[in-house]
Amino acid sequence: MNLNREKSQACLNYSEVMVQFDEVKLDFMELILKREMIFPDAIHGKIYYRDKPVCCTLENPRAYVPAGKYQIKMVQEKGEKEYLTPYLYREDAHHHTCAITKGNGVCNLFTYVIYAGKYQCRGLVIQGDKYLKQLNELIATEKENEKEKIYLKIQDYAVN
């Protein structure tokens, strides 16, 4: 009888800890890129924030960034006034690894670029301007909420 009481007390304490954990404010933002389809000519995925999709992605299967965690730094490109370009950096590197940018199809893919957009068909994302701007606005909002760093965690969940 005493054991059951201790067990229920432990569950109560555990749930109290979980409630406290949910109230903790994080000082960073983490986006997750899940690579969902890998083909010989294209890698398709989605970027998520808090388990909600932000945009679809397209990558070159001959030159793509390995799975892992990258810091995102926003850079103003020459001639671009609408939004900043997100660049990915490894924690141990001083130069960027890749950029998330607008684009359309695999025939236009350059090495180590992630195109943001809406999935249209194999090897094609559309409306890159719209979705890159949406990603920029999401990051800007989190920066206003005092997020110190922004990370992109890339995971391979490929299904052909």
Side-chain angles (χ1 to χ4, degrees):
M1 193 73 96
N2 193 15
L3 180 61
N4 285 339
R5 195 164 119 191
E6 288 176 14
K7 188 175 179 182
S8 65
Q9 184 65 35
C11 290
L12 178 65
N13 290 340
Y14 177 73
S15 63
E16 287 173 4
V17 169
M18 292 306 288
V19 169
Q20 290 172 356
F21 178 75
D22 286 342
E23 294 171 3
V24 171
K25 252 188 147 175
L26 301 174
D27 63 348
F28 64 91
M29 172 186 192
E30 184 174 77
L31 299 164
I32 297 175
L33 174 102
K34 293 182 181 178
R35 291 182 175 137
E36 297 170 343
M37 297 182 288
I38 295 180
F39 299 104
D41 57 349
I43 299 174
H44 285 281
K46 284 185 185 149
I47 294 178
Y48 294 86
Y49 181 58
R50 295 184 179 169
D51 297 325
K52 293 180 184 165
V54 177
C55 63
C56 294
T57 61
L58 175 64
E59 296 175 83
N60 185 338
R62 292 178 253 355
Y64 61 93
V65 179
K69 191 171 182 177
Y70 299 86
Q71 185 174 353
I72 293 178
K73 295 182 182 174
M74 304 302 284
V75 177
Q76 182 75 49
E77 295 285 353
K78 290 181 181 177
E80 185 60 65
K81 295 178 183 176
E82 271 193 65
Y83 41 76
L84 302 173
T85 301
Y87 278 92
L88 277 55
Y89 290 79
R90 276 260 192 218
E91 291 289 322
D92 56 351
H94 298 290
H95 61 283
H96 73 274
T97 304
C98 149
I100 302 174
T101 187
K102 57 188 175 184
N104 290 338
V106 289
C107 60
N108 296 328
L109 275 172
F110 298 104
T111 55
Y112 304 107
V113 172
I114 299 172
Y115 282 159
K118 177 183 175 185
Y119 178 82
Q120 182 67 21
C121 63
R122 179 175 160 179
L124 182 66
V125 291
I126 59 172
Q127 301 175 352
D129 279 329
K130 175 184 173 182
Y131 286 94
L132 190 58
K133 189 174 181 180
Q134 183 177 305
L135 181 61
N136 262 257
E137 288 169 358
L138 175 65
I139 291 171
T141 301
E142 290 301 314
K143 282 264 192 199
E144 288 173 8
N145 292 335
E146 299 176 9
K147 302 290 183 187
E148 294 288 322
K149 292 185 178 182
I150 305 158
Y151 293 100
L152 178 69
K153 186 176 183 181
I154 300 176
Q155 301 172 336
D156 292 329
Y157 286 106
V159 178
N160 292 6

